[in-house]
Amino acid sequence: LTLKVRPQLFDGELTRKEEEVVATSTLELKVRDISGEGMSDFITVGLLENADNEFVYGEDEYDLPRQAYTSMGGEYIDMKIGADLMKDIRSTEYEDFQAWNISIVTEKVDNDIELSWGDVSGFDDDLHLVINGEAIDMHEEASIEFSTVINEIAIVVGNVDAYLNPIPDVFGL
């Protein structure tokens, strides 16, 4: 068990005030077992004008560790942002794109799974789900089904071509 404690912030508050954490654009991505037998999961990403791209208590949230899901037994799907987050709010200020890397781990789920998302009209810029290098416009689709064999999943706001084909920063032989 890892217990993370953050020192108290100035003005006697542990987190930002609730009205400050309301993101301009949020997206809840849900994953479920098509058969309906496995436990489902969800994550939340979003953009906020004064957000920090690093972890900030009150903006971002840690997910349960994978061992917690294992102890529940049975079939489950565990989805995380990066290695350990279930909610990640980032800044609306970005150059080409903002991207969230998503990991999905399944236990005893041997059939297809479905990713779905709700209303994305709060995102003015392009919004794509990138699965194994293939971009899906989230403004046009509301869900996608696929097998449990996935190498890469990301949510990209902004220029998806810049994400898929980055320009190298340095040259070397």
Side-chain angles (χ1 to χ4, degrees), residues 11-163:
D11 298 329
E13 295 184 33
L14 287 175
T15 63
R16 292 181 178 208
K17 294 180 180 137
E18 191 169 324
E19 60 271 15
E20 289 182 274
V21 183
V22 177
T24 340
S25 310
T26 59
L27 168 70
E28 187 173 273
L29 188 66
K30 300 174 186 175
V31 63
R32 73 177 186 90
D33 177 358
I34 296 291
S35 72
E37 295 175 17
M39 290 175 33
S40 302
D41 202 3
F42 72 94
I43 57 169
T44 304
V45 298
L47 298 174
L48 178 66
E49 189 173 314
N50 60 349
D52 190 332
N53 286 339
E54 301 301 318
F55 182 86
V56 175
Y57 284 92
E59 268 179 14
D60 309 315
E61 294 178 30
Y62 284 104
D63 198 359
L64 289 173
R66 291 223 163 94
Q67 297 88 341
Y69 289 96
T70 305
S71 67
M72 292 179 207
E75 298 179 20
Y76 68 87
I77 303 170
D78 181 24
M79 183 166 49
K80 295 186 186 308
I81 304 164
D84 56 1
L85 296 178
M86 67 172 286
K87 180 179 179 187
D88 189 15
I89 305 296
R90 299 206 182 151
S91 174
T92 54
E93 300 296 320
Y94 55 87
E95 221 171 289
D96 290 324
F97 60 86
Q98 278 285 23
W100 293 266
N101 292 320
I102 310 300
S103 65
I104 297 178
V105 173
T106 61
E107 180 68 33
K108 300 178 187 172
V109 175
D110 55 1
N111 48 290
D112 289 352
I113 58 177
E114 177 189 57
L115 275 174
S116 62
W117 49 93
D119 181 27
V120 295
S121 61
F123 289 88
D124 295 331
D125 289 342
D126 289 344
L127 179 64
H128 289 85
L129 182 66
V130 177
I131 299 177
N132 293 338
E134 181 183 334
I136 298 155
D137 189 340
M138 296 177 81
H139 286 288
E140 294 179 6
E141 303 289 332
S143 67
I144 184 170
E145 290 181 16
F146 53 89
S147 70
T148 57
V149 180
I150 305 160
N151 297 327
E152 171 200 1
I153 297 180
I155 298 171
V156 180
V157 175
N159 186 347
V160 72
D161 291 328
Y163 173 79

